[in-house]
Amino acid sequence: MSKDDTGMSGSDDSHMPPAGSAGSNGNKGHDMGYEQGYAQRSRFIHGEMVSPHWDYSHHVVPPMSASATYRLDSGQRGAQGFCQFGTTEAVEQEILIYDRLQEPTSSMLEDRLAEAERAAVGISFATGMAAISAAITSLVTTGQHVIAHKCLYGCTTSLLKNWYPRIGINVSFIDTDNPDELRAAIRPETRVVYLETPVNPTLEIIDLRRMSDVLDEVNAKRPPEERIYSICDNTFATPLCQRPREHGVDVVVHSLTKGIGGFGTDMGGIVLCPLELEPMYKLYRKDFGGSLSPKAAWPPLVYGLPTLPVRMRQMQYNAQKVAEYLSDHPLVAKVRYPGLADNPDHAVARRQMTNFDGAFMPGSLLYFTLKEEPGSNDNAEAMINWTADNSYVITLAVSLGQVKTLIENPSSMTHSALDPEMQAEGGVEPGGIRLSCGLEETNDIIRDLEAALMYVASRKREKV
Ligand SMILES: Cc1ncc(COP(=O)(O)O)c(C=O)c1O
């Protein structure tokens, strides 16, 4: 027997397992004891893939699956798996083939979120943008038309404005909250109406029921293949604060990177839809890629979703108190938070943004502007920069819905893909500030905002 440290030469048959005791990965060869005579090197690779220790029904925490590909019992079973994939036929036991198609950990997350969003199915993706691009692109083709709200997350606008025209898909940006404008924008070739509510970053609320009524009216006169689907990005609210499908929306998308993930450790996205759309979204994911890895699906499944209600309770409490504090501050020009009674969209928000028990849930984000000299955003810039340098509990960073309070300037950061005209049209002011409230002690967030505003006031005095 020849051996070296690497095990690269010769065979090692000195550690033969006793007959019948060797592990099995399910292959027949293993069951029949064929492993005898194989080198230790090969047995390291092939041994014990099925274990009597497995019984996940008794796990308190679900497992994180880690198998990019799956053993197929026969060629026929492999073929059957491929046939079954992407159909709506009920199957007794799905045949797992390859992680890009479907895998167990993200499937558990998809099921939980589908239930939360009152959707038949969920299809997870590697990022929110992968989910958004899949949600829209699957439903339109060259020559067709998308209606989008005039203000959306910057990369969604960029997708619609910069990429769709290249493949002959036309996009109209309108105020989807205005039923007359919506009706007027609909063309025979329109297939999708896309929006967010609350709108990122302006916190404007779109009346989903009113919008759905317009689409129902139009769809009633169309054949099914010309149906206009509505898609709503529910990232800001999370299903805890709002479930768009309860207000007539067809498809819901989320960035799981935000409030649902909650801790800012992983990226992810999901599409939640009726059963009829599942095959297309799954085939899209299979062919374009962008599947959520089980390692990224596990944290939102195990940490994010279970803690969402308790996290949101504190984040929302903080947002309400901060919104009230800012509203009363002499340097603040405007505060948009749906929980403020004098917010222009407060009544719609009260009806639309509720938790599973019907309680009002205005969420954890707010948008505000400071009083400025005409044409200037000096004060906002000073406040952001002071905060980045000096604040203990407020971090200058994009993203939202995390345990830490995050501040940013959408005009120059998350929404910089919108040209100045689109920003103006969408209500994204150069000096607008977006604040995502975290879990800190309320008074600590207010204390750091107060200090930042005092700094802005001191600059003003110096100038005089
Ligand atoms: C409302 C909204 N939708 C979608 C996205 C995109 O999500 P992701 O960064 O996970 O691709 C973001 C990201 O900031 C967002 O704010």
Side-chain angles (χ1 to χ4, degrees):
M1 186 176 65
S2 68
K3 272 197 291 186
D4 63 16
D5 284 351
T6 64
M8 292 299 286
S9 58
S11 73
D12 171 8
D13 57 3
S14 62
H15 295 97
M16 296 280 285
S21 74
S24 161
N25 71 5
N27 276 357
K28 224 176 190 156
H30 290 247
D31 293 346
M32 296 174 74
Y34 288 178
E35 71 276 14
Q36 293 194 18
Y38 285 93
Q40 184 64 63
R41 230 165 89 192
S42 300
R43 295 207 302 273
F44 279 148
I45 299 168
H46 291 281
E48 289 284 356
M49 297 299 173
V50 170
S51 162
H53 302 299
W54 285 358
D55 175 6
Y56 289 134
S57 62
H58 289 86
H59 271 54
V60 173
V61 174
M64 187 193 298
S65 169
S67 179
T69 194
Y70 297 84
R71 187 177 57 77
L72 297 158
D73 299 321
S74 65
Q76 287 81 352
R77 188 178 152 86
Q80 194 190 345
F82 276 95
C83 271
Q84 271 175 15
F85 181 76
T87 66
T88 48
E89 274 167 39
V91 288
E92 219 167 87
Q93 177 74 56
E94 71 194 354
I95 298 171
L96 293 169
I97 300 168
Y98 188 59
D99 265 7
R100 177 156 43 74
L101 278 57
Q102 178 130 3
E103 71 77 36
T105 310
S106 57
S107 294
M108 278 189 274
L109 180 65
E110 289 166 352
D111 291 349
R112 298 255 165 99
L113 280 167
E115 185 194 345
E117 283 286 4
R118 311 311 192 216
V121 282
I123 301 102
S124 57
F125 288 86
T127 63
M129 281 316 301
I132 290 166
S133 54
I136 311 171
T137 314
S138 301
L139 297 177
V140 282
T141 188
T142 302
Q144 294 182 337
H145 176 237
V146 174
I147 295 174
H149 190 68
K150 61 187 178 181
C151 186
L152 298 167
Y153 169 56
C155 296
T156 309
T157 303
S158 175
L159 169 75
L160 295 166
K161 189 170 67 99
N162 299 324
W163 293 97
Y164 277 19
R166 291 169 55 139
I167 49 173
I169 295 167
N170 299 305
V171 184
S172 304
F173 293 95
I174 66 151
D175 179 3
T176 53
D177 200 35
N178 180 333
D180 296 332
E181 218 176 298
L182 177 57
R183 259 190 219 98
I186 293 172
R187 305 179 191 167
E189 66 274 20
T190 305
R191 293 292 178 273
V192 168
V193 172
Y194 184 92
L195 65 139
E196 304 165 353
T197 180
V199 173
N200 180 3
T202 60
L203 272 293
E204 177 198 359
I205 306 294
I206 292 170
D207 188 331
L208 292 175
R209 176 50 64 192
R210 193 168 59 187
M211 183 211 60
S212 304
D213 285 348
V214 173
L215 295 187
D216 287 350
E217 208 180 286
V218 175
N219 282 331
K221 296 181 202 132
R222 289 185 168 211
E225 64 278 10
E226 290 176 19
R227 191 181 201 291
I228 303 172
Y229 284 98
S230 53
I231 305 177
C232 178
D233 182 337
N234 200 29
T235 300
F236 263 36
T238 81
L240 190 74
C241 301
Q242 174 179 272
R243 290 152 308 282
R245 285 183 46 80
E246 289 177 348
H247 308 285
V249 168
D250 298 308
V251 178
V252 173
V253 290
H254 279 283
S255 164
L256 301 175
T257 319
K258 311 291 166 15
I260 291 175
F263 295 88
T265 55
D266 296 88
M267 302 204 77
I270 194 159
V271 176
L272 301 138
C273 65
L275 201 58
E276 81 214 40
L277 297 180
E278 184 192 26
M280 206 166 35
Y281 285 140
K282 281 202 167 162
L283 291 171
Y284 182 100
R285 181 176 67 180
K286 170 176 83 66
D287 295 341
F288 282 81
S291 309
L292 184 65
S293 91
K295 289 158 193 95
W298 192 81
L301 176 70
V302 172
Y303 303 126
L305 260 185
T307 60
L308 177 61
V310 285
R311 282 187 290 113
M312 187 57 86
R313 193 185 310 157
Q314 179 66 21
M315 295 192 301
Q316 181 173 285
Y317 179 82
N318 284 344
Q320 180 75 37
K321 294 289 171 199
V322 166
E324 287 165 9
Y325 161 77
L326 288 173
S327 295
D328 288 341
H329 199 285
L331 271 185
V332 174
K334 175 176 82 177
V335 182
R336 290 298 293 262
Y337 178 64
L340 290 175
D342 61 358
N343 191 83
D345 297 325
H346 183 68
V348 186
R350 267 200 172 275
R351 178 158 38 81
Q352 192 166 283
M353 300 186 75
T354 58
N355 69 8
F356 298 99
D357 301 318
F360 180 40
M361 296 288 285
S364 58
L365 278 128
L366 51 106
Y367 176 79
F368 64 99
T369 54
L370 301 183
K371 290 179 184 158
E372 307 272 5
E373 297 294 326
S376 155
N377 60 341
D378 243 32
N379 288 341
E381 206 174 289
M383 180 174 190
I384 296 246
N385 285 339
W386 188 92
T387 303
D389 258 3
N390 301 284
S391 174
Y392 182 72
V393 298
I394 306 174
T395 307
L396 173 61
V398 299
S399 206
L400 53 108
Q402 298 193 3
V403 295
K404 292 186 176 183
T405 295
L406 305 180
I407 198 167
E408 67 122 2
N409 171 230
S411 174
S412 65
M413 298 174 189
T414 49
H415 291 66
S416 53
L418 281 71
D419 54 42
E421 294 76 49
M422 277 193 96
Q423 289 198 357
E425 181 67 15
V428 182
E429 288 115 319
I433 297 173
R434 189 183 79 182
L435 192 74
S436 168
C437 289
L439 298 180
E440 300 91 346
E441 178 66 41
T442 320
N443 288 336
D444 287 339
I445 303 173
I446 292 176
R447 168 182 163 172
D448 283 8
L449 286 171
E450 173 84 11
L453 288 165
M454 274 170 67
Y455 169 72
V456 172
S458 72
R459 277 173 80 250
K460 265 182 105 174
R461 275 195 301 275
E462 270 169 29
K463 273 194 210 159
V464 175

